[in-house]
Amino acid sequence: MADYDLTIIGTGPGGYVCAIRAAQLGLKVAVVEKRKTHSGTCLNVGCIPSKALLHASDLFEEAGHDFARLGIKIGAPKLDLKAMMGHKDETVEANVKGVEFLLKKNKITAFQGVGRIVAAGLVEVTPEKGKAETIATRNIVIATGSEVMPLPGLEIDEKSILSSDGAIALSSVPGRLLVIGAGVIGLELGSVWRRLGSEVQVVEFLDRILPGMDADVAKTFQRTLKKQGVKFRLSTRVTAAKASAKGVKVTMEPAAGGTAETVDVDAVLVAIGRRPYTAGLGLEELGIARDKQGRVETDGNFRTTIDGIYAIGDAIKGPMLAHKAEDEGVAVAEILAGQKGHVNYDVIPGVVYTMPEVAAVGKTEEELKEAGIAYISGKFPFTANGRAKAMRKTDGFIKVLADARTDRVLGVHMIGASVGEMIHEAAVLMEFGGSAEDLARTCHAHPTMSEAVREAAMAVAKRTIHM
Ligand code: FAD
Ligand code: NAI
């Protein structure tokens, strides 16, 4: 007899959301988590702490650079890094406690320890102290997330050679910070430390920043970050870094090969991606298939190659995003409860929480070109938006990509203040198969930054009003 209908290994955004949805649908649910607190990478060391620091450092920057232009004289702001880190820690604690409360409220049994799948229907939990116990369960969901991708030649010590875990917990501002990887983590955390006083240079293997995002947006973004003082070295590969009492010696060379060069910095952030974390789960012994990147293979219904075992979130293919993991958690819970759970992978927004923010949903121009889909692009800059001018936030633009034949919106790309919130009207429109004309005909409140979204939709039909 099974003790539970469902046992989920890992309580990140994928796992805890899956547990709550399954409990709502009447399943008897257990979760297994090896961390001391629930909520996974996202709430403990990822999305939430990084956004707490991005918010605080953004205000620090505004106070130092923008207040005077708005007629507010306060003198140079002083940084209290300990208090800023305190704000981050309190934010994490409040969010993590919230998840613990939700698990209890939904009568989900939580086991603390490392989970291992012994066989379909059996999960062994080994706590830090005490004896292992075995859970009998009808179904298992693997929601074990991801870990930092290491870089050969560098040993992360979280003191001067950092992963994101160390970079959100520094006790002093590094004088010179070298960031390896111009992806989301590198640019978000690089921005935090630049605002707080570090000299930041970003070394990127490719010839552009933010691979996968719209190239037009990425170019504008790089220009803006450069204006803010971030230095970029593109098409460059870091081959080694050695830490000593004096700092870190970093060796790099052109990505295409060539003469190596060494630079001295105070700290290095390794942000070259993350990889699925499935160590010790027992996948090899069970014969659960993984792809070349180590992601658990799943079918359209999140089933692994073994019956009764499912997988979601960062551990499987797709963007490594908290909301993608959450949606997969909901879908698999609904499937297990006999419903038709589903995730629309064409409409998963992505946001970079810098200043300006970058936000996107749907296809990029590059993807549409590659797929041979004829499209019309409508673009509108924030320099022509009244609210943006009033707030002195005129960097950036909105771009709407619509099918040339049907006018259906296929992708929306944004760079500017608050676009991380504004992207959702595009997501809703796309979920309903809406057209650029639908968006252009929807009344938007004035004065708002969102009026630029409407104007970009009007630009598809070449009828913007304010340009
Ligand atoms: P995770 O959150 O990684 O959770 C997996 C859990 O499983 C962990 O708690 C782990 O301890 C546990 N576990 C693993 N193995 C076992 C085992 N054998 N037994 C028991 N427990 C186990 N995404 C966004 O969408 N927005 C953001 O702003 C954002 N910011 C980020 C910032 C940083 C610095 C980082 C590192 C990531 C960020 N992400 C962001 C990505 C986001 O954190 C992940 O996509 C998300 O956490 C994935 O959720 P998950 O549930 O699949 O895995
Ligand atoms: P990433 O995949 O976004 O970027 C890694 C970058 O490093 C790429 O540009 C890549 O070309 C470059 N790179 C790889 N090897 C390199 C090398 N040897 N030298 C120089 N550059 C190299 O990965 P990142 O930033 O580590 O983030 C990991 C994951 O976390 C991402 O998938 C992202 O989705 C998620 N995340 C999401 C956030 C958000 O939604 N706001 C915030 C932070 C992380």
Side-chain angles (χ1 to χ4, degrees):
M1 258 271 291
D3 303 323
Y4 295 94
D5 296 314
L6 170 62
T7 298
I8 301 158
I9 308 179
T11 57
Y16 86 75
V17 168
C18 181
I20 292 171
R21 185 71 188 120
Q24 283 175 347
L25 293 167
L27 303 190
K28 194 173 173 210
V29 184
V31 292
V32 183
E33 173 55 56
K34 68 184 173 74
R35 268 181 194 278
K36 291 209 166 52
T37 50
H38 296 295
S39 323
T41 304
C42 180
L43 276 69
N44 287 288
V45 290
C47 326
I48 294 297
S50 60
K51 266 79 255 181
L53 292 178
L54 278 156
H55 174 69
S57 62
D58 185 42
L59 291 182
F60 180 73
E61 166 109 335
E62 287 218 15
H65 297 275
D66 302 326
F67 276 18
R69 286 190 215 118
L70 300 172
I72 308 164
K73 285 199 175 158
I74 54 163
K78 279 199 193 108
L79 175 65
D80 181 346
L81 186 58
K82 204 167 162 213
M84 200 178 275
M85 289 293 170
H87 154 68
K88 176 210 66 175
D89 293 340
E90 275 169 25
T91 310
V92 168
E93 200 189 333
N95 279 281
V96 161
K97 277 199 174 138
V99 170
E100 197 180 325
F101 163 79
L102 290 172
L103 292 177
K104 280 195 187 127
K105 181 185 155 205
N106 285 283
K107 302 191 172 40
I108 293 156
T109 310
F111 292 85
Q112 214 242 315
V114 177
R116 183 172 73 90
I117 309 173
V118 183
L122 279 186
V123 175
E124 182 191 69
V125 185
T126 309
E128 214 173 277
K129 284 184 201 136
K131 276 207 330 223
E133 57 185 314
T134 305
I135 307 170
T137 179
R138 277 196 195 89
N139 296 288
I140 297 167
V141 170
I142 298 169
T144 49
S146 60
E147 63 177 352
V148 174
M149 182 96 76
L151 182 58
L154 274 82
E155 206 175 306
I156 292 174
D157 57 18
E158 302 297 11
K159 289 191 185 91
S160 53
I161 303 186
L162 314 160
S163 73
S164 54
D165 289 5
I168 56 164
L170 292 175
S171 53
S172 62
V173 179
R176 295 156 301 175
L177 172 69
L178 185 137
V179 176
I180 312 175
V184 198
I185 292 182
L187 299 179
E188 284 188 353
L189 295 181
S191 287
V192 166
W193 292 108
R194 203 255 333 134
R195 292 167 187 169
L196 300 183
S198 296
E199 236 175 66
V200 174
Q201 62 168 308
V202 181
V203 180
E204 165 61 47
F205 180 77
L206 299 175
D207 60 0
R208 57 162 291 175
I209 68 167
L210 282 187
M213 287 265 194
D214 185 88
D216 197 9
V217 168
K219 235 188 221 158
T220 303
F221 189 39
Q222 188 185 340
R223 218 175 25 238
T224 315
L225 290 175
K226 220 169 133 189
K227 265 201 288 179
Q228 293 173 1
V230 178
K231 292 198 179 90
F232 287 95
R233 295 180 78 136
L234 303 183
S235 307
T236 305
R237 174 209 326 255
V238 169
T239 51
K242 268 242 147 347
S244 70
K246 285 195 211 136
V248 191
K249 245 187 201 336
V250 184
T251 310
M252 58 182 102
E253 61 184 36
T259 316
E261 183 190 336
T262 303
V263 297
D264 292 304
V265 293
D266 300 296
V268 172
L269 165 60
V270 183
I272 59 162
R274 295 179 61 83
R275 63 181 183 192
Y277 181 79
T278 54
L281 260 185
L283 301 190
E284 293 85 4
E285 295 85 332
L286 284 159
I288 293 181
R290 278 176 296 165
D291 66 15
K292 280 196 193 117
Q293 281 130 287
R295 301 175 298 193
V296 179
E297 280 186 10
T298 48
D299 67 6
N301 286 323
F302 309 99
R303 287 185 303 206
T304 67
T305 43
I306 302 284
D307 271 356
I309 305 181
Y310 299 75
I312 58 171
D314 280 11
I316 69 168
K317 63 180 181 288
M320 286 183 163
L321 295 172
H323 41 286
K324 176 258 192 188
E326 288 185 27
D327 279 18
E328 289 177 341
V330 168
V332 85
E334 291 178 347
I335 289 167
L336 290 173
Q339 301 185 351
K340 299 217 179 316
H342 167 74
V343 177
N344 181 3
Y345 290 99
D346 288 335
V347 186
I348 295 187
V351 176
V352 188
Y353 298 84
T354 41
M355 183 54 74
E357 290 184 342
V358 172
V361 62
K363 300 273 185 273
T364 61
E365 285 202 54
E366 296 72 46
E367 284 168 339
L368 291 174
K369 278 182 192 142
E370 203 178 308
I373 298 169
Y375 66 92
I376 300 175
S377 165
K379 211 166 153 181
F380 192 81
F382 283 113
T383 44
N385 174 273
R387 183 71 185 278
K389 278 194 195 131
M391 300 192 308
R392 297 185 63 93
K393 300 279 185 205
T394 50
D395 278 337
F397 60 83
I398 307 281
K399 183 158 77 175
V400 172
L401 305 175
D403 190 298
R405 200 170 49 84
T406 63
D407 197 40
R408 183 179 177 144
V409 173
L410 303 173
V412 179
H413 304 276
M414 306 180 167
I415 173 164
S418 311
V419 297
E421 300 293 340
M422 288 154 60
I423 195 68
H424 298 102
E425 73 165 305
V428 172
L429 180 88
M430 288 172 68
E431 273 292 348
F432 284 87
S435 65
E437 182 70 10
D438 290 330
L439 187 47
R441 296 257 168 221
T442 304
C443 186
H444 281 60
H446 174 76
T448 56
M449 300 280 284
S450 298
E451 285 173 288
V453 183
R454 184 186 194 184
E455 292 269 10
M458 288 175 175
V460 169
K462 302 200 172 29
R463 59 179 186 86
T464 52
I465 300 289
H466 293 94
M467 257 224 328

